[in-house]
Amino acid sequence: MAERIGFFGLGIMGKPMSQHLLNAGYSLTVLDVVKPAMDELVALGAQAAAAPKAVAAQSDVVITMLPDSPQVEEVVLGKYGLLEGLHAGMLVIDMSTIMPSVARRVTAAIRAKGGDALDAPVSGGEVGAKNAALTIMVGGSQAAFDRAKPIFEKMGKNITLVGEAGAGQITKAANQIIVGVTIAAVSEALLLAAKAGADPAKVREALMGGFAASRILELHGNRMVQRTFAPGFKIKLHRKDLNIILNTARELGVSLPMSANVAELMNGLIANGCGDLDHSAFVTILEKLANFEIKSNV
Ligand code: NAD
């Protein structure tokens, strides 16, 4: 019998991801604090639930795609939370980006009640979610991973069990260091080139053929030149990920100066009302400091 799936969080990522599961024929129960987000899924055939506990009763596998650690803790461990409705054999898969230590704590609580859990954060953004092409980094048991694999394959392509509970979130933290620091590097490069009088679109095109080529130069470099900053991945969510990274680094006694600088500049962006813009709008804080905005003639 096909697994009955519960899905929490129908935002930029959760909406297309849950739609893929519906299209694949899974029976789906959804819950979001924003009602119109639920109505859209219900119109496509999902059932709506009023509380996490009720979703647990109707589901074999529950997926969460929520903003941050506090929301995952609330939905799983809170009053009328998943844990209250947990039945033996239930699998909870958190695909949000949260603190690795919280992922381990949530998994322990679920296992103590006879269920199992995976932390399975994703990379690939809204485009990856819409195209069912997400990279999925997983922490947890091999048995839970094998059970979840057919479900993951409806949403993603590069799916890896990295290690035990928390290993998926650690991998995602590593991913977000590379993405954040690279966005900062691309921003500095295009700003310098533009201020020197070179056309940033041409500079980007030239660099895409060499050692500095990257997906971030390709996609976010283009966003910077075209000034298309609608999200995508919001600055406030990337700042949240940098909090996760820097808190985890503190727990481990590791110094991450590049990530810290990016986080500080993102604080400045949020203070300037840019938290809901795409993280490629990082370039705008450097532009403010330089009192110069990059422009293309192409
Ligand atoms: P989003 O803000 O668009 O969506 C989050 C959804 O969760 C919203 O619809 C919100 O109403 C809902 N929600 C909040 N609290 C809730 C609760 N207690 N119960 C039920 N629903 C609740 O965020 P997003 O961009 O979809 O990101 C979701 C997660 O995926 C985040 O952890 C983010 O860091 C991660 N992520 C996002 C991207 C991206 O490109 N957007 C890429 C990779 C990973």
Side-chain angles (χ1 to χ4, degrees):
M1 198 185 71
E3 307 260 30
R4 297 167 305 159
I5 300 178
F7 203 108
F8 290 81
L10 306 168
I12 288 177
M13 300 295 284
K15 189 166 105 177
M17 290 162 71
S18 56
Q19 283 175 356
H20 292 311
L21 298 176
L22 262 183
N23 292 342
Y26 284 106
S27 146
L28 201 70
T29 305
V30 293
L31 181 53
D32 194 293
V33 286
V34 175
K35 193 172 172 299
M38 286 215 284
D39 293 343
E40 233 179 290
L41 265 293
V42 169
L44 295 171
Q47 299 158 66
K53 187 179 170 180
V55 178
Q58 286 168 248
S59 312
D60 307 305
V61 175
V62 172
I63 297 173
T64 48
M65 194 53 173
L66 298 164
D68 198 357
S69 306
Q71 290 81 29
V72 173
E73 286 185 292
E74 181 197 327
V75 161
V76 179
L77 310 174
K79 198 163 162 52
Y80 307 118
L82 279 175
L83 219 53
E84 287 187 17
L86 193 112
H87 46 88
M90 196 173 111
L91 177 61
V92 180
I93 307 171
D94 179 38
M95 303 188 78
S96 335
T97 306
I98 68 166
M99 280 288 289
S101 53
V102 173
R104 282 192 291 271
R105 187 145 43 82
V106 166
T107 296
I110 291 166
R111 286 181 178 164
K113 281 215 138 190
D116 203 355
L118 293 169
D119 49 294
V122 305
S123 175
E126 187 183 15
V127 175
K130 284 186 171 159
N131 295 336
L134 292 168
T135 286
I136 308 178
M137 319 153 214
V138 190
S141 69
Q142 183 71 52
F145 179 76
D146 293 343
R147 179 177 168 192
K149 190 98 185 292
I151 298 171
F152 288 147
E153 282 167 349
K154 301 294 180 293
M155 301 181 280
K157 287 198 179 352
N158 180 20
I159 304 157
T160 311
L161 177 65
V162 180
E164 244 303 339
Q169 293 296 351
I170 282 291
T171 309
K172 175 67 183 180
N175 183 82
Q176 293 304 79
I177 292 174
I178 296 170
V179 174
V181 173
T182 308
I183 286 176
V186 168
S187 299
E188 288 194 355
L190 294 183
L191 178 60
L192 179 77
K195 183 77 196 270
D199 190 307
K202 283 282 177 200
V203 171
R204 173 187 159 279
E205 195 183 313
L207 295 182
M208 277 307 295
F211 198 38
S214 71
R215 290 282 285 159
I216 289 166
L217 177 62
E218 183 189 359
L219 300 178
H220 287 5
N222 191 47
R223 274 176 170 270
M224 291 171 198
V225 173
Q226 302 299 329
R227 318 302 288 177
T228 47
F229 297 137
F233 187 57
K234 293 171 196 156
I235 285 173
K236 67 181 184 196
L237 284 180
H238 204 145
R239 178 64 182 88
K240 176 264 300 184
D241 292 352
L242 284 155
N243 268 341
I244 291 170
I245 290 158
L246 296 174
N247 285 336
T248 304
R250 227 165 275 133
E251 283 173 7
L252 297 170
V254 175
S255 172
L256 301 178
M258 304 305 154
S259 301
N261 273 334
V262 175
E264 288 299 326
L265 288 163
M266 283 192 181
N267 283 345
L269 282 156
I270 291 166
N272 278 278
C274 299
D276 285 314
L277 296 182
D278 187 73
H279 56 170
S280 54
F282 182 90
V283 71
T284 62
I285 192 85
L286 300 183
E287 289 174 337
K288 274 209 175 80
L289 294 172
N291 192 24
F292 180 82
E293 194 172 294
I294 66 172
K295 277 194 189 68
S296 170
N297 300 317
V298 179

